[in-house]
Structure formats: structure tokens, C-alpha cells
PDB file of all heavy atoms in Angstrom:
ATOM      1  N   THR B   1       0.834  -1.205   0.000  1.00 91.00           N
ATOM      2  CA  THR B   1       0.000   0.000   0.000  1.00 91.00           C
ATOM      3  C   THR B   1       0.867   1.252   0.000  1.00 91.00           C
ATOM      4  O   THR B   1       0.593   2.218  -0.728  1.00 91.00           O
ATOM      5  CB  THR B   1      -0.928   0.008   1.223  1.00 91.00           C
ATOM      6  OG1 THR B   1      -1.660  -1.214   1.271  1.00 91.00           O
ATOM      7  CG2 THR B   1      -1.911   1.159   1.149  1.00 91.00           C
ATOM      8  N   ALA B   2       1.928   1.253   0.813  1.00 91.00           N
ATOM      9  CA  ALA B   2       2.841   2.399   0.853  1.00 91.00           C
ATOM     10  C   ALA B   2       3.542   2.598  -0.487  1.00 91.00           C
ATOM     11  O   ALA B   2       3.758   3.742  -0.923  1.00 91.00           O
ATOM     12  CB  ALA B   2       3.872   2.194   1.963  1.00 91.00           C
ATOM     13  N   MET B   3       3.887   1.512  -1.183  1.00 89.00           N
ATOM     14  CA  MET B   3       4.512   1.619  -2.508  1.00 89.00           C
ATOM     15  C   MET B   3       3.571   2.271  -3.506  1.00 89.00           C
ATOM     16  O   MET B   3       3.977   3.133  -4.304  1.00 89.00           O
ATOM     17  CB  MET B   3       4.921   0.232  -2.999  1.00 89.00           C
ATOM     18  CG  MET B   3       6.018  -0.423  -2.186  1.00 89.00           C
ATOM     19  SD  MET B   3       6.303  -2.147  -2.618  1.00 89.00           S
ATOM     20  CE  MET B   3       7.111  -1.972  -4.199  1.00 89.00           C
ATOM     21  N   ALA B   4       2.286   1.875  -3.454  1.00 88.00           N
ATOM     22  CA  ALA B   4       1.303   2.464  -4.381  1.00 88.00           C
ATOM     23  C   ALA B   4       1.079   3.940  -4.066  1.00 88.00           C
ATOM     24  O   ALA B   4       1.036   4.775  -4.984  1.00 88.00           O
ATOM     25  CB  ALA B   4      -0.015   1.692  -4.280  1.00 88.00           C
ATOM     26  N   LEU B   5       0.947   4.286  -2.797  1.00 89.00           N
ATOM     27  CA  LEU B   5       0.730   5.681  -2.416  1.00 89.00           C
ATOM     28  C   LEU B   5       1.957   6.541  -2.726  1.00 89.00           C
ATOM     29  O   LEU B   5       1.822   7.703  -3.133  1.00 89.00           O
ATOM     30  CB  LEU B   5       0.394   5.773  -0.930  1.00 89.00           C
ATOM     31  CG  LEU B   5      -0.954   5.157  -0.506  1.00 89.00           C
ATOM     32  CD1 LEU B   5      -1.110   5.197   1.002  1.00 89.00           C
ATOM     33  CD2 LEU B   5      -2.107   5.887  -1.184  1.00 89.00           C
ATOM     34  N   ASP B   6       3.149   5.968  -2.544  1.00 88.00           N
ATOM     35  CA  ASP B   6       4.376   6.703  -2.862  1.00 88.00           C
ATOM     36  C   ASP B   6       4.439   7.036  -4.344  1.00 88.00           C
ATOM     37  O   ASP B   6       4.759   8.168  -4.731  1.00 88.00           O
ATOM     38  CB  ASP B   6       5.587   5.875  -2.443  1.00 88.00           C
ATOM     39  CG  ASP B   6       6.895   6.525  -2.860  1.00 88.00           C
ATOM     40  OD1 ASP B   6       7.310   7.489  -2.189  1.00 88.00           O
ATOM     41  OD2 ASP B   6       7.500   6.068  -3.855  1.00 88.00           O
ATOM     42  N   ARG B   7       4.123   6.068  -5.214  1.00 85.00           N
ATOM     43  CA  ARG B   7       4.113   6.329  -6.655  1.00 85.00           C
ATOM     44  C   ARG B   7       3.006   7.319  -7.031  1.00 85.00           C
ATOM     45  O   ARG B   7       3.175   8.117  -7.954  1.00 85.00           O
ATOM     46  CB  ARG B   7       3.928   5.028  -7.428  1.00 85.00           C
ATOM     47  CG  ARG B   7       5.096   4.076  -7.376  1.00 85.00           C
ATOM     48  CD  ARG B   7       6.365   4.689  -7.964  1.00 85.00           C
ATOM     49  NE  ARG B   7       7.131   5.457  -6.995  1.00 85.00           N
ATOM     50  CZ  ARG B   7       8.011   6.380  -7.283  1.00 85.00           C
ATOM     51  NH1 ARG B   7       8.216   6.717  -8.542  1.00 85.00           N
ATOM     52  NH2 ARG B   7       8.673   7.020  -6.353  1.00 85.00           N
ATOM     53  N   TYR B   8       1.883   7.229  -6.330  1.00 87.00           N
ATOM     54  CA  TYR B   8       0.769   8.138  -6.615  1.00 87.00           C
ATOM     55  C   TYR B   8       1.168   9.588  -6.365  1.00 87.00           C
ATOM     56  O   TYR B   8       0.972  10.459  -7.226  1.00 87.00           O
ATOM     57  CB  TYR B   8      -0.433   7.759  -5.754  1.00 87.00           C
ATOM     58  CG  TYR B   8      -1.516   8.811  -5.697  1.00 87.00           C
ATOM     59  CD1 TYR B   8      -2.320   9.083  -6.801  1.00 87.00           C
ATOM     60  CD2 TYR B   8      -1.729   9.537  -4.536  1.00 87.00           C
ATOM     61  CE1 TYR B   8      -3.301  10.048  -6.757  1.00 87.00           C
ATOM     62  CE2 TYR B   8      -2.724  10.508  -4.473  1.00 87.00           C
ATOM     63  CZ  TYR B   8      -3.503  10.755  -5.579  1.00 87.00           C
ATOM     64  OH  TYR B   8      -4.480  11.725  -5.521  1.00 87.00           O
ATOM     65  N   PHE B   9       1.754   9.864  -5.206  1.00 86.00           N
ATOM     66  CA  PHE B   9       2.158  11.240  -4.892  1.00 86.00           C
ATOM     67  C   PHE B   9       3.336  11.690  -5.746  1.00 86.00           C
ATOM     68  O   PHE B   9       3.420  12.860  -6.125  1.00 86.00           O
ATOM     69  CB  PHE B   9       2.509  11.353  -3.402  1.00 86.00           C
ATOM     70  CG  PHE B   9       1.313  11.354  -2.500  1.00 86.00           C
ATOM     71  CD1 PHE B   9       1.041  10.277  -1.687  1.00 86.00           C
ATOM     72  CD2 PHE B   9       0.440  12.442  -2.476  1.00 86.00           C
ATOM     73  CE1 PHE B   9      -0.074  10.270  -0.856  1.00 86.00           C
ATOM     74  CE2 PHE B   9      -0.673  12.444  -1.652  1.00 86.00           C
ATOM     75  CZ  PHE B   9      -0.933  11.356  -0.839  1.00 86.00           C
ATOM     76  N   ALA B  10       4.244  10.758  -6.077  1.00 85.00           N
ATOM     77  CA  ALA B  10       5.402  11.132  -6.895  1.00 85.00           C
ATOM     78  C   ALA B  10       5.009  11.494  -8.318  1.00 85.00           C
ATOM     79  O   ALA B  10       5.606  12.385  -8.930  1.00 85.00           O
ATOM     80  CB  ALA B  10       6.411   9.988  -6.902  1.00 85.00           C
ATOM     81  N   ILE B  11       3.987  10.821  -8.863  1.00 82.00           N
ATOM     82  CA  ILE B  11       3.576  11.058 -10.252  1.00 82.00           C
ATOM     83  C   ILE B  11       2.532  12.160 -10.353  1.00 82.00           C
ATOM     84  O   ILE B  11       2.612  13.028 -11.234  1.00 82.00           O
ATOM     85  CB  ILE B  11       3.035   9.744 -10.862  1.00 82.00           C
ATOM     86  CG1 ILE B  11       4.174   8.719 -10.978  1.00 82.00           C
ATOM     87  CG2 ILE B  11       2.398   9.985 -12.231  1.00 82.00           C
ATOM     88  CD1 ILE B  11       3.731   7.343 -11.418  1.00 82.00           C
ATOM     89  N   CYS B  12       1.564  12.147  -9.454  1.00 84.00           N
ATOM     90  CA  CYS B  12       0.462  13.114  -9.543  1.00 84.00           C
ATOM     91  C   CYS B  12       0.789  14.448  -8.892  1.00 84.00           C
ATOM     92  O   CYS B  12       0.229  15.484  -9.279  1.00 84.00           O
ATOM     93  CB  CYS B  12      -0.802  12.522  -8.921  1.00 84.00           C
ATOM     94  SG  CYS B  12      -1.379  11.027  -9.747  1.00 84.00           S
ATOM     95  N   TYR B  13       1.665  14.458  -7.903  1.00 85.00           N
ATOM     96  CA  TYR B  13       2.041  15.703  -7.217  1.00 85.00           C
ATOM     97  C   TYR B  13       3.565  15.764  -7.079  1.00 85.00           C
ATOM     98  O   TYR B  13       4.102  15.697  -5.970  1.00 85.00           O
ATOM     99  CB  TYR B  13       1.380  15.780  -5.835  1.00 85.00           C
ATOM    100  CG  TYR B  13      -0.115  15.672  -5.866  1.00 85.00           C
ATOM    101  CD1 TYR B  13      -0.739  14.449  -5.603  1.00 85.00           C
ATOM    102  CD2 TYR B  13      -0.922  16.766  -6.166  1.00 85.00           C
ATOM    103  CE1 TYR B  13      -2.117  14.333  -5.639  1.00 85.00           C
ATOM    104  CE2 TYR B  13      -2.308  16.665  -6.201  1.00 85.00           C
ATOM    105  CZ  TYR B  13      -2.894  15.438  -5.930  1.00 85.00           C
ATOM    106  OH  TYR B  13      -4.261  15.321  -5.961  1.00 85.00           O
ATOM    107  N   PRO B  14       4.287  15.883  -8.195  1.00 82.00           N
ATOM    108  CA  PRO B  14       5.758  15.801  -8.142  1.00 82.00           C
ATOM    109  C   PRO B  14       6.406  16.946  -7.365  1.00 82.00           C
ATOM    110  O   PRO B  14       7.372  16.720  -6.630  1.00 82.00           O
ATOM    111  CB  PRO B  14       6.159  15.835  -9.623  1.00 82.00           C
ATOM    112  CG  PRO B  14       5.000  16.447 -10.332  1.00 82.00           C
ATOM    113  CD  PRO B  14       3.781  16.072  -9.558  1.00 82.00           C
ATOM    114  N   LEU B  15       5.904  18.171  -7.511  1.00 81.00           N
ATOM    115  CA  LEU B  15       6.503  19.298  -6.806  1.00 81.00           C
ATOM    116  C   LEU B  15       6.302  19.172  -5.304  1.00 81.00           C
ATOM    117  O   LEU B  15       7.231  19.377  -4.507  1.00 81.00           O
ATOM    118  CB  LEU B  15       5.912  20.620  -7.319  1.00 81.00           C
ATOM    119  CG  LEU B  15       6.168  20.933  -8.796  1.00 81.00           C
ATOM    120  CD1 LEU B  15       5.486  22.232  -9.190  1.00 81.00           C
ATOM    121  CD2 LEU B  15       7.666  21.014  -9.067  1.00 81.00           C
ATOM    122  N   TYR B  16       5.098  18.847  -4.903  1.00 82.00           N
ATOM    123  CA  TYR B  16       4.803  18.670  -3.484  1.00 82.00           C
ATOM    124  C   TYR B  16       5.582  17.488  -2.915  1.00 82.00           C
ATOM    125  O   TYR B  16       6.084  17.535  -1.783  1.00 82.00           O
ATOM    126  CB  TYR B  16       3.300  18.449  -3.309  1.00 82.00           C
ATOM    127  CG  TYR B  16       2.854  18.268  -1.881  1.00 82.00           C
ATOM    128  CD1 TYR B  16       2.751  19.356  -1.018  1.00 82.00           C
ATOM    129  CD2 TYR B  16       2.526  16.999  -1.400  1.00 82.00           C
ATOM    130  CE1 TYR B  16       2.357  19.176   0.300  1.00 82.00           C
ATOM    131  CE2 TYR B  16       2.125  16.811  -0.089  1.00 82.00           C
ATOM    132  CZ  TYR B  16       2.038  17.906   0.750  1.00 82.00           C
ATOM    133  OH  TYR B  16       1.644  17.719   2.050  1.00 82.00           O
ATOM    134  N   TYR B  17       5.729  16.448  -3.704  1.00 81.00           N
ATOM    135  CA  TYR B  17       6.449  15.250  -3.262  1.00 81.00           C
ATOM    136  C   TYR B  17       7.923  15.553  -3.025  1.00 81.00           C
ATOM    137  O   TYR B  17       8.512  15.107  -2.033  1.00 81.00           O
ATOM    138  CB  TYR B  17       6.294  14.157  -4.318  1.00 81.00           C
ATOM    139  CG  TYR B  17       6.984  12.852  -3.991  1.00 81.00           C
ATOM    140  CD1 TYR B  17       6.373  11.910  -3.176  1.00 81.00           C
ATOM    141  CD2 TYR B  17       8.245  12.557  -4.517  1.00 81.00           C
ATOM    142  CE1 TYR B  17       6.998  10.701  -2.878  1.00 81.00           C
ATOM    143  CE2 TYR B  17       8.881  11.359  -4.228  1.00 81.00           C
ATOM    144  CZ  TYR B  17       8.245  10.444  -3.410  1.00 81.00           C
ATOM    145  OH  TYR B  17       8.877   9.256  -3.120  1.00 81.00           O
ATOM    146  N   SER B  18       8.543  16.307  -3.935  1.00 78.00           N
ATOM    147  CA  SER B  18       9.963  16.637  -3.789  1.00 78.00           C
ATOM    148  C   SER B  18      10.232  17.557  -2.604  1.00 78.00           C
ATOM    149  O   SER B  18      11.309  17.511  -2.013  1.00 78.00           O
ATOM    150  CB  SER B  18      10.487  17.292  -5.075  1.00 78.00           C
ATOM    151  OG  SER B  18       9.752  18.479  -5.349  1.00 78.00           O
ATOM    152  N   LYS B  19       9.249  18.376  -2.233  1.00 77.00           N
ATOM    153  CA  LYS B  19       9.432  19.280  -1.095  1.00 77.00           C
ATOM    154  C   LYS B  19       9.258  18.561   0.239  1.00 77.00           C
ATOM    155  O   LYS B  19       9.992  18.819   1.194  1.00 77.00           O
ATOM    156  CB  LYS B  19       8.418  20.433  -1.175  1.00 77.00           C
ATOM    157  CG  LYS B  19       8.704  21.425  -2.292  1.00 77.00           C
ATOM    158  CD  LYS B  19       7.649  22.524  -2.298  1.00 77.00           C
ATOM    159  CE  LYS B  19       7.902  23.523  -3.420  1.00 77.00           C
ATOM    160  NZ  LYS B  19       6.874  24.587  -3.462  1.00 77.00           N
ATOM    161  N   VAL B  20       8.270  17.685   0.291  1.00 74.00           N
ATOM    162  CA  VAL B  20       7.938  17.034   1.570  1.00 74.00           C
ATOM    163  C   VAL B  20       8.885  15.882   1.876  1.00 74.00           C
ATOM    164  O   VAL B  20       9.326  15.717   3.020  1.00 74.00           O
ATOM    165  CB  VAL B  20       6.477  16.522   1.542  1.00 74.00           C
ATOM    166  CG1 VAL B  20       6.173  15.683   2.784  1.00 74.00           C
ATOM    167  CG2 VAL B  20       5.519  17.700   1.450  1.00 74.00           C
ATOM    168  N   CYS B  21       9.214  15.064   0.880  1.00 72.00           N
ATOM    169  CA  CYS B  21       9.993  13.848   1.121  1.00 72.00           C
ATOM    170  C   CYS B  21      11.471  14.191   1.270  1.00 72.00           C
ATOM    171  O   CYS B  21      12.101  14.697   0.338  1.00 72.00           O
ATOM    172  CB  CYS B  21       9.806  12.864  -0.033  1.00 72.00           C
ATOM    173  SG  CYS B  21       8.106  12.266  -0.144  1.00 72.00           S
ATOM    174  N   PHE B  22      12.030  13.938   2.449  1.00 69.00           N
ATOM    175  CA  PHE B  22      13.443  14.157   2.711  1.00 69.00           C
ATOM    176  C   PHE B  22      14.173  12.817   2.649  1.00 69.00           C
ATOM    177  O   PHE B  22      13.564  11.769   2.411  1.00 69.00           O
ATOM    178  CB  PHE B  22      13.642  14.842   4.065  1.00 69.00           C
ATOM    179  CG  PHE B  22      12.840  14.225   5.180  1.00 69.00           C
ATOM    180  CD1 PHE B  22      13.404  13.286   6.007  1.00 69.00           C
ATOM    181  CD2 PHE B  22      11.517  14.610   5.398  1.00 69.00           C
ATOM    182  CE1 PHE B  22      12.679  12.722   7.026  1.00 69.00           C
ATOM    183  CE2 PHE B  22      10.781  14.043   6.424  1.00 69.00           C
ATOM    184  CZ  PHE B  22      11.360  13.095   7.239  1.00 69.00           C
ATOM    185  N   LYS B  23      15.491  12.833   2.891  1.00 70.00           N
ATOM    186  CA  LYS B  23      16.330  11.668   2.622  1.00 70.00           C
ATOM    187  C   LYS B  23      15.927  10.419   3.409  1.00 70.00           C
ATOM    188  O   LYS B  23      15.766   9.338   2.815  1.00 70.00           O
ATOM    189  CB  LYS B  23      17.790  12.031   2.894  1.00 70.00           C
ATOM    190  CG  LYS B  23      18.763  11.036   2.286  1.00 70.00           C
ATOM    191  CD  LYS B  23      20.183  11.554   2.377  1.00 70.00           C
ATOM    192  CE  LYS B  23      21.135  10.599   1.672  1.00 70.00           C
ATOM    193  NZ  LYS B  23      22.524  11.086   1.719  1.00 70.00           N
ATOM    194  N   PRO B  24      15.767  10.490   4.753  1.00 79.00           N
ATOM    195  CA  PRO B  24      15.403   9.254   5.474  1.00 79.00           C
ATOM    196  C   PRO B  24      13.921   8.910   5.416  1.00 79.00           C
ATOM    197  O   PRO B  24      13.470   8.003   6.122  1.00 79.00           O
ATOM    198  CB  PRO B  24      15.828   9.558   6.923  1.00 79.00           C
ATOM    199  CG  PRO B  24      15.742  11.027   7.045  1.00 79.00           C
ATOM    200  CD  PRO B  24      16.026  11.588   5.684  1.00 79.00           C
ATOM    201  N   TRP B  25      13.162   9.612   4.581  1.00 81.00           N
ATOM    202  CA  TRP B  25      11.714   9.409   4.505  1.00 81.00           C
ATOM    203  C   TRP B  25      11.325   7.961   4.218  1.00 81.00           C
ATOM    204  O   TRP B  25      10.476   7.395   4.919  1.00 81.00           O
ATOM    205  CB  TRP B  25      11.131  10.352   3.446  1.00 81.00           C
ATOM    206  CG  TRP B  25       9.739  10.050   3.018  1.00 81.00           C
ATOM    207  CD1 TRP B  25       9.340   9.476   1.864  1.00 81.00           C
ATOM    208  CD2 TRP B  25       8.532  10.314   3.745  1.00 81.00           C
ATOM    209  NE1 TRP B  25       7.978   9.370   1.805  1.00 81.00           N
ATOM    210  CE2 TRP B  25       7.452   9.882   2.964  1.00 81.00           C
ATOM    211  CE3 TRP B  25       8.263  10.882   4.991  1.00 81.00           C
ATOM    212  CZ2 TRP B  25       6.132   9.977   3.374  1.00 81.00           C
ATOM    213  CZ3 TRP B  25       6.949  10.988   5.406  1.00 81.00           C
ATOM    214  CH2 TRP B  25       5.903  10.544   4.604  1.00 81.00           C
ATOM    215  N   PRO B  26      11.911   7.287   3.217  1.00 83.00           N
ATOM    216  CA  PRO B  26      11.482   5.898   2.948  1.00 83.00           C
ATOM    217  C   PRO B  26      11.779   4.941   4.093  1.00 83.00           C
ATOM    218  O   PRO B  26      11.033   3.989   4.317  1.00 83.00           O
ATOM    219  CB  PRO B  26      12.259   5.520   1.687  1.00 83.00           C
ATOM    220  CG  PRO B  26      13.339   6.516   1.560  1.00 83.00           C
ATOM    221  CD  PRO B  26      12.870   7.751   2.206  1.00 83.00           C
ATOM    222  N   TRP B  27      12.862   5.186   4.868  1.00 88.00           N
ATOM    223  CA  TRP B  27      13.158   4.311   6.003  1.00 88.00           C
ATOM    224  C   TRP B  27      12.160   4.540   7.129  1.00 88.00           C
ATOM    225  O   TRP B  27      11.796   3.597   7.847  1.00 88.00           O
ATOM    226  CB  TRP B  27      14.581   4.552   6.488  1.00 88.00           C
ATOM    227  CG  TRP B  27      15.606   4.193   5.465  1.00 88.00           C
ATOM    228  CD1 TRP B  27      16.292   5.048   4.655  1.00 88.00           C
ATOM    229  CD2 TRP B  27      16.048   2.882   5.111  1.00 88.00           C
ATOM    230  NE1 TRP B  27      17.126   4.362   3.824  1.00 88.00           N
ATOM    231  CE2 TRP B  27      17.015   3.031   4.083  1.00 88.00           C
ATOM    232  CE3 TRP B  27      15.739   1.602   5.566  1.00 88.00           C
ATOM    233  CZ2 TRP B  27      17.653   1.938   3.504  1.00 88.00           C
ATOM    234  CZ3 TRP B  27      16.368   0.512   4.998  1.00 88.00           C
ATOM    235  CH2 TRP B  27      17.318   0.681   3.977  1.00 88.00           C
ATOM    236  N   LEU B  28      11.696   5.763   7.277  1.00 89.00           N
ATOM    237  CA  LEU B  28      10.678   6.051   8.288  1.00 89.00           C
ATOM    238  C   LEU B  28       9.344   5.394   7.929  1.00 89.00           C
ATOM    239  O   LEU B  28       8.579   5.005   8.810  1.00 89.00           O
ATOM    240  CB  LEU B  28      10.508   7.565   8.450  1.00 89.00           C
ATOM    241  CG  LEU B  28      11.705   8.309   9.031  1.00 89.00           C
ATOM    242  CD1 LEU B  28      11.426   9.811   9.078  1.00 89.00           C
ATOM    243  CD2 LEU B  28      12.045   7.790  10.424  1.00 89.00           C
TER     244      LEU B  28
END
């Protein structure tokens, strides 16, 4: 589910995704 939501925000909201997601984000 997290993989699908991650791709959803990365593709549909790329600018917002790049601002919010920091380096350790996927490990969190």
C-alpha cells in the first residue's frame, strides 16, 4: 500500500512530493 501511495504522490504531485519527502523518509 505504501509503494502504491508513494508512486501516486510522486507522479500526480511531483513538486509537493519533492518538497515534503526528505532523505530518510522511505526508512521512516
Side-chain angles (χ1 to χ4, degrees):
T1 307
M3 294 171 73
L5 293 175
D6 175 77
R7 291 299 87 201
Y8 166 71
F9 285 110
I11 294 173
C12 299
Y13 303 98
L15 298 178
Y16 181 76
Y17 180 83
S18 59
K19 289 180 181 179
V20 173
C21 295
F22 47 96
K23 196 170 184 179
W25 166 255
W27 296 102
L28 294 177

